[in-house]
Each structure stands twice: as C-alpha cells, then as structure tokens.
C-alpha cells in the first residue's frame, strides 16, 4: 500500500489513545476479500456457539484476525475485551508473532494456526484439524 493514506499496522498499543478514523478506502483494502469476508465474520460466533472454546481463546482468535487484516477498530475493541477476560498483556503482544510465539499453550497455538490458514487459504489443513480434535489439546 505504498503511497496510500492507510495506517501502518503497528500492533499492540496502549489502550485509550485517541486515533483518527481510517479513510473508507483503507477499510476496504484492510479487510479480507469479499469471498472470505462472510466466513471470517462468522468464525468467532460459530466458535462461541459450537465449540467448548473459552472466551479468552475466542478473543485471541479475534485479535489474530484483526492483526492480520490490519483492522485497527477491531484490535482496539478486542484488546479491551480480552483484558477483561483475563488474557495477559504478554499474550496480546504475542498475537503479532503468530503461532510460533513461545507463550502459547498447544491449543492456542493450533487455534492461531487455524486462523492463519483460514485467512491465507480459506481452509484448515488436516494436521491442524487433527490436533484440534485431540482431547489433550482441547482440554486447554
């Protein structure tokens, strides 16, 4: 996005700083393609309804999508929510490092990997699905 007026995603910042709203053209560029937008929008709701996923883990998924899509509004809102749900500042800071960050539990690592795969390929690979299905992983 060289030469555009869009913000540069800098990741976690202190909560409460005043920011100017994004120009409409940046919001369009920052989001996922129209083909995947609907599925990504439903992901957190479906995860909350259908899976035994803790609220903090759900917020990590939302934060990862916000990070990857450079959605400042979603990031700012869900940093606050995640903090209220017990997600640590260290975990929030690690969202930008992805699944390889050492802070993640096996479940969190798999969830972040699944989120990245959905964003990149619109599918979750077999190894990640298998890992998510294992009882020792889903126990947290």
């Amino acid at each position: 996005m060289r030469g555009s007026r869009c913000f540069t995603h800098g990741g976690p910042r202190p909560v409460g700083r005043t920011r100017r709203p994004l120009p409409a053209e940046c919001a369009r560029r920052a989001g996922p393609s129209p083909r995947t937008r609907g599925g990504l929008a439903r992901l957190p709701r479906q995860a909350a309804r259908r899976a035994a996923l803790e609220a903090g883990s759900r917020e990590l998924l939302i934060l990862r999508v916000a990070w990857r899509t450079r959605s400042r509004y979603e990031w700012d809102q869900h940093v606050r929510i995640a903090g209220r749900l017990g997600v640590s500042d260290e975990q929030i800071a690690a969202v930008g490092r992805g699944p390889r960050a050492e802070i993640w539990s096996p479940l969190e690592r798999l969830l972040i990997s699944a989120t990245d795969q959905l964003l990149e390929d619109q599918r979750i690979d077999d190894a990640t699905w298998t890992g998510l299905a294992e009882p020792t992983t889903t126990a947290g």
Side-chain angles (χ1 to χ4, degrees):
M1 287 191 244
R2 183 173 280 194
S4 80
R5 298 180 309 157
C6 297
F7 71 96
T8 301
H9 185 59
R13 294 185 205 117
V15 175
R17 290 176 69 187
T18 305
R19 295 180 185 87
R20 295 188 344 228
L22 292 174
E25 71 206 48
C26 298
R28 282 192 303 274
R29 288 187 204 166
S33 71
R35 192 174 97 195
T36 60
R37 189 175 300 129
L40 289 172
R42 289 189 301 270
L43 178 64
R45 287 184 299 234
Q46 288 174 345
R49 264 197 318 260
R50 295 184 181 173
L53 191 61
E54 293 181 10
S57 295
R58 184 185 68 237
E59 287 305 312
L60 289 173
L61 292 177
I62 295 167
L63 286 171
R64 185 63 179 165
V65 171
W67 178 274
R68 294 282 313 268
T69 60
R70 299 179 178 187
S71 176
R72 182 186 296 169
Y73 175 81
E74 289 297 323
W75 177 266
D76 289 346
Q77 295 302 312
H78 287 279
V79 162
R80 291 183 186 105
I81 294 167
R84 288 194 303 260
L85 292 171
V87 176
S88 71
D89 291 341
E90 292 80 15
Q91 288 175 301
I92 292 170
V95 166
R97 294 194 305 269
R100 291 193 174 97
E102 293 184 18
I103 194 169
W104 306 129
S105 70
L107 173 61
E108 291 165 339
R109 183 170 285 110
L110 284 166
L111 289 169
I112 291 169
S113 292
T115 301
D116 285 355
Q117 290 169 24
L118 284 171
L119 288 167
E120 293 166 9
D121 305 321
Q122 294 81 49
R123 63 180 303 277
I124 298 173
D125 67 34
D126 292 338
T128 303
W129 271 121
T130 300
L132 287 168
E134 292 177 7
T136 55
T137 306
T138 57

